[in-house]
Amino acid sequence: MLSCKQATELMSHEQDRTLALSERIGLRLHLWICAGCANYRRQIGVLRSACRRFGSGGTP
Amino acid sequence: MELDRQSELNALRPDLLRFARLQLRDAGAAEDAVQETMLAALLGSHAFESRSSYKTWLIAILRNKIIDIIRGQSREVAASSLADDEAGDDLLSESLFDQRGHWQPETQPGRWADPEASFEQQQFWAVFEACLDHLPAKTARVFMMREILGFETGEICKETGISSSNCWVVLHRARMTLRACLETNWFAGVGG
Ligand SMILES: [Zn+2]
């Protein structure tokens, strides 16, 4: 089973490259049982949205 | 009604300069990019109805200027200099995870309340910029090339002379650091 530390690495990598099947399965199983990492994944998604917004001049 | 572009441009100049400085971390180069952007803007003949649409247009020009500057620079983010950025990240990692690599009870991420509402507040963006500004310089360069300027990781490798795997690790560290910074300085206080 992945540790949370390893899971956070994979959640970042999936924003930059295609994960291998074994990585995808490992991550999915981990997210199934770990609320902290599931929240982390949403949060780095928010971070990405914020960067897009900032980079396109869409800030108030 | 058409916008008074000249006065809006002057009003938006500090925003443009902050944006360029964040990306380039070089006051002179940032100034040049903004000058060129303002010149291009004054020569352009588009009409704009709102400050926000004008700002979007200006930022798009400025981004292209910044991308040109980065592409013209020599490869200066050698892998060895990235190592200087790593010490602080290891400390963050130690504070977040226990010895088995699981979240500490007090650091486990919770829910962030309504990010879209935060995006509408100027105060949020001040925190966001401060968090970006606190990243170590080389890490910041790689992260902003990827997430703000929209480079693919392959091109980041080419422009900076680091390997793909190194690039992915740097991006991971940057996200982890920024997430923690936004958590501490913004979201923990917004219904957290
Ligand atoms: Zn976990």
Side-chain angles (χ1 to χ4, degrees):
Chain A
M1 181 55 94
L2 292 175
S3 68
C4 297
K5 193 175 173 184
Q6 291 167 323
T8 58
E9 285 169 22
L10 287 181
M11 289 187 275
S12 176
H13 292 347
E14 73 177 339
Q15 294 196 347
D16 302 313
R17 65 173 172 87
T18 307
L19 297 185
L21 183 61
S22 60
E23 291 176 322
R24 282 210 301 279
I25 293 171
L27 182 57
R28 189 171 300 177
L29 288 174
H30 185 92
L31 291 173
W32 189 259
I33 57 154
C34 182
C37 283
N39 285 327
Y40 183 89
R41 193 163 183 244
R42 286 186 202 100
Q43 292 174 0
I44 62 170
V46 170
L47 177 61
R48 172 159 275 193
S49 304
C51 288
R52 296 249 158 99
R53 185 112 164 204
F54 184 71
S56 62
T59 59
Chain B
M1 194 177 91
E2 195 188 329
L3 208 66
D4 177 353
R5 294 192 305 149
Q6 179 82 58
S7 66
E8 288 296 330
L9 190 55
N10 287 330
L12 287 166
R13 191 174 186 283
D15 286 2
L16 299 178
L17 200 52
R18 267 203 333 279
F19 186 88
R21 281 190 175 146
L22 264 174
Q23 316 291 315
L24 293 166
R25 301 224 174 176
D26 173 337
E31 188 71 46
D32 290 348
V34 170
Q35 293 283 0
E36 287 181 32
T37 300
M38 292 179 74
L39 185 61
L42 289 170
L43 293 173
S45 57
H46 286 281
F48 294 93
E49 291 183 353
S50 68
R51 173 183 280 206
S52 68
S53 63
Y54 190 44
K55 181 177 172 185
T56 301
W57 184 71
L58 288 170
I59 290 280
I61 298 175
L62 180 58
R63 266 173 53 146
N64 286 326
K65 301 280 179 208
I66 292 170
I67 289 170
D68 286 346
I69 289 172
I70 288 176
R71 289 199 172 126
Q73 285 170 344
S74 58
R75 296 179 174 189
E76 58 176 27
V77 189
S80 58
S81 56
L82 277 167
D84 302 340
D85 288 1
E86 284 169 14
D89 299 321
D90 290 342
L91 280 178
L92 174 65
S93 196
E94 274 169 32
S95 72
L96 290 175
F97 302 110
D98 65 21
Q99 285 180 330
R100 285 159 49 246
H102 294 286
W103 297 107
Q104 306 273 15
E106 64 277 13
T107 60
Q108 171 157 320
R111 289 275 195 159
W112 279 355
D114 201 358
E116 285 296 327
S118 294
F119 291 173
E120 298 304 326
Q121 297 178 50
Q122 281 179 341
Q123 199 50 37
F124 169 79
W125 295 105
V127 170
F128 180 80
E129 285 183 28
C131 288
L132 283 177
D133 204 33
H134 274 94
L135 286 178
K138 315 287 179 181
T139 302
R141 164 58 63 96
V142 172
F143 180 77
M144 290 195 234
M145 282 175 82
R146 175 84 183 113
E147 298 291 338
I148 305 218
L149 301 173
F151 284 74
E152 290 299 326
T153 48
E155 195 179 2
I156 298 175
C157 298
K158 202 179 96 206
E159 296 293 338
T160 60
I162 62 175
S163 69
S164 315
S165 58
N166 202 334
C167 187
W168 293 325
V169 170
V170 171
L171 289 168
H172 164 54
R173 294 194 153 127
R175 290 181 182 117
M176 177 159 277
T177 307
L178 288 169
R179 186 213 72 89
C181 185
L182 291 176
E183 165 75 27
T184 304
N185 296 296
W186 182 262
F187 286 104
V190 184

